[in-house]
Amino acid sequence: DYLILYKLIVTGTTIGYGDVTPKTQLQIHYFTHPIPFICASFVIYFNSVIPIIGELIDFLTGNATL
């Protein structure tokens, strides 16, 4: 049953249920699979952006090393 898998993934990734949730079995199938990939893409994005932001803050505060 995909409903249990869907609820496990949505709760485990802390996405939450929000205002828009899948209602039919087809929608649950469609939305269950991309959630882990979407969360992983956020992790990859933030891991690449955070060091850049840190360097920018160091540059703006005068703590940058060349």
Side-chain angles (χ1 to χ4, degrees), residues 4-37:
I4 295 170
L5 180 63
Y6 171 76
K7 288 186 177 195
L8 177 69
I9 289 175
V10 169
T11 303
T13 56
T14 66
I15 289 177
Y17 294 98
D19 296 335
V20 180
T21 58
K23 304 282 190 262
T24 66
Q25 192 73 14
L26 181 63
Q27 291 172 342
I28 291 171
H29 280 280
Y30 180 77
F31 286 110
T32 300
H33 298 290
I35 290 173
F37 296 106

Side-chain angles (χ1 to χ4, degrees), residues 50-66:
I50 289 173
I52 296 170
I53 293 172
E55 290 177 16
L56 178 62
I57 290 171
D58 287 344
F59 175 76
L60 293 175
T61 58
N63 296 327
T65 57
L66 297 174

